[in-house]
Structures are given as C-alpha cells and as structure tokens.
C-alpha cells in the first residue's frame, strides 16, 4: 500500500499555542481520518473526512480542533489553543475502495 | 463493558512457538474487523482483515465468530520479528475504527 507522509515528525509547543499537523495522502484516495494515541493508551478516533467535508467526529474533536484540505492534496489538523492533555501521537489514515485504513507514521505532539 | 477488549499480555514465547490472541467486541452492529500490529512508538500497521469464513496469510490465521462477538489471531512458528503489540480493531457503521488496547507479544530466542 502506498505510503502517507506526515509532517512534522515531532512538534513541541507551549500551552495555548496553535499547531497545524500535516498529512500528504495519495491523491486518489477519498477517505481520510485523524486518530490520536496518548502515550500508553489505545488509539482513538478523532475525525473522518470525505469529499472535503467532515463525515464523522468524536467527542474528543471539540471546537479547538479543525480539519482542512486547503490545496486538494495536504490534509491538515489544527488545534487552536493546545492543552497539556493534547500531548499524543497524531496519526493520519486513509482508505480507498476497500474498508482497510492505512496509517501514516504520525506526528508526536508535546505540549509544555 | 469496553467496546473492544483484549488481554494486555505480555505473552512471552520462544521462537517457533504457536501463540493465539483473543478479542471480544460489544457492538453487534460492527461491520468489519482487523488485526493491526504496532511496534513501539510507531504507527499501527494493518496485518490482516478478518472475515467470517476465517482467513490465513502465511503463518497468520484470523477467525471471526459473530454470534459470540469474538475475534482471534493465531501466529504459527513465531519469529523474533513478530515481537510487537497486536491490536484488535473493529469498524463501526460509520466507518471509524475502534481499537482495543492491544496484546503485547515478546518472542525470545
């Protein structure tokens, strides 16, 4: 399965700052997802995105979070005002014609 | 009850052993089922989808029992490189993945 790239690999930010995490999926995939994994915990769904619209979001995905596909290729997750508890690995995932989802290498976000 | 439940392990087995992992899920409307493996601080990697008829991929065999809401993964002839955390994953009706907490496998020489 072709790879998805994510940038940056590691982001350190201060509490209250905005961060933008980027994902570059394969252009012919239609479905995109963001998940997060707090250290030592399970992977949790944040949001799914189809045809340039949010199709589903979890209760974690509150007003502080937003997703965009600004230029038709990059897929971004923005956290407007980071909190300490936002520290986690953030994974972008994609799927095509099948239900199988493939994950990018992740961005480790550290909020201090 | 947790949505997807797994024994956290660790399972510590010698090379060449056969090891089985089990998983239960709570939502009977779940659509699709998967096993992923995750190495330390890496992304989950899809190991295999799980079908009602059962499926095999080399040394790996997955089984699904919808009536009991139970999924299993069998690894035969385990290798050192199989050491990882194995994630049982269920897809719900809105296509989001629900992960178990994972079962850790350590294969020793």
């Amino acid at each position: 399965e072709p790879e998805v790239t994510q940038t940056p690999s590691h982001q350190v930010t201060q509490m209250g700052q905005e961060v933008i995490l980027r994902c570059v999926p394969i252009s012919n995939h239609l479905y995109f997802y963001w998940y997060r994994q707090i250290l030592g915990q399970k992977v949790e769904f944040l949001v799914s995105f189809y045809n340039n619209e949010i199709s589903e979001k979890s209760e974690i995905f509150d007003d502080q979070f937003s997703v965009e596909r600004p230029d038709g290729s990059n897929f971004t997750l923005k956290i407007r005002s980071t909190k300490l508890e936002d520290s986690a690995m953030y994974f972008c995932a994609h799927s095509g014609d099948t239900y199988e989802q493939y994950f990018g290498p992740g961005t480790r976000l550290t909020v201090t | 009850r947790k949505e997807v439940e797994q024994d956290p392990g660790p399972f510590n087995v010698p090379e060449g052993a056969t090891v089985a992992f089990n998983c239960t899920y709570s939502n009977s409307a779940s659509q699709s089922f998967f096993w992923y493996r995750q190495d330390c601080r890496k992304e989950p990697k899809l190991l295999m989808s799980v079908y009602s008829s059962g499926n095999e991929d080399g040394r790996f065999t997955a089984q699904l029992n919808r009536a009991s809401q139970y999924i299993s993964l069998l690894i035969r002839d385990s290798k050192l490189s199989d050491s990882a955390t194995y994630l049982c994953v269920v897809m719900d009706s809105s296509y989001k993945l629900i992960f178990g907490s994972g079962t850790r496998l350590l294969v020793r020489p």
Side-chain angles (χ1 to χ4, degrees):
Chain A
E1 180 70 23
E3 290 185 359
V4 171
T5 57
Q6 289 188 242
T7 57
S9 57
H10 187 195
Q11 173 92 48
V12 181
T13 189
Q14 289 189 326
M15 202 166 52
Q17 296 297 305
E18 175 183 285
V19 293
I20 297 176
L21 311 181
R22 290 184 173 80
C23 171
V24 183
I26 303 302
S27 60
N28 61 347
H29 282 145
L30 298 176
Y31 301 91
F32 307 105
Y33 314 83
W34 283 101
Y35 292 83
R36 79 170 187 192
Q37 186 175 29
I38 295 170
L39 186 63
Q41 297 187 24
K42 62 183 180 180
V43 178
E44 300 174 291
F45 170 80
L46 290 177
V47 65
S48 57
F49 195 79
Y50 169 68
N51 205 23
N52 294 325
E53 287 185 357
I54 290 176
S55 50
E56 179 88 11
K57 58 184 180 179
S58 72
E59 58 189 28
I60 302 169
F61 195 88
D62 60 22
D63 292 344
Q64 293 298 316
F65 290 87
S66 62
V67 288
E68 281 186 341
R69 201 173 185 200
D71 56 8
S73 57
N74 289 335
F75 178 47
T76 63
L77 174 70
K78 183 192 290 186
I79 309 175
R80 288 190 185 84
S81 178
T82 49
K83 306 191 253 311
L84 293 176
E85 55 265 36
D86 293 328
S87 295
M89 284 291 290
Y90 287 81
F91 296 109
C92 167
H94 67 99
S95 61
D97 295 335
T98 70
Y99 295 136
E100 295 171 346
Q101 294 183 22
Y102 296 90
F103 285 71
T107 293
R108 184 152 60 106
L109 176 65
T110 303
V111 183
T112 61
Chain B
R1 184 180 171 186
K2 289 181 186 175
E3 289 185 276
V4 180
E5 201 148 2
Q6 297 181 251
D7 180 344
F11 285 58
N12 191 325
V13 303
E15 260 186 300
T18 295
V19 61
F21 304 134
N22 303 317
C23 166
T24 56
Y25 60 95
S26 60
N27 186 353
S28 58
S30 298
Q31 298 289 309
S32 303
F33 308 89
F34 309 92
W35 283 100
Y36 282 74
R37 84 170 260 168
Q38 187 174 31
D39 295 284
C40 190
R41 292 184 175 261
K42 299 286 189 182
E43 74 274 24
K45 290 191 174 171
L46 180 65
L47 185 63
M48 57 199 305
S49 302
V50 188
Y51 305 117
S52 297
S53 54
N55 48 303
E56 187 174 310
D57 183 3
R59 298 182 293 109
F60 300 84
T61 301
Q63 298 273 355
L64 167 66
N65 184 324
R66 282 189 184 267
S68 304
Q69 295 178 203
Y70 172 92
I71 307 162
S72 66
L73 177 68
L74 184 78
I75 305 176
R76 288 182 298 279
D77 188 23
S78 49
K79 313 286 183 198
L80 295 176
S81 56
D82 293 335
S83 297
T85 297
Y86 289 82
L87 307 174
C88 177
V89 183
V90 171
M91 178 178 282
D92 74 4
S93 54
S94 61
Y95 307 108
K96 68 176 184 279
L97 298 183
I98 301 165
F99 283 77
S101 298
T103 300
R104 194 160 163 233
L105 172 65
L106 301 170
V107 181
R108 63 180 188 271

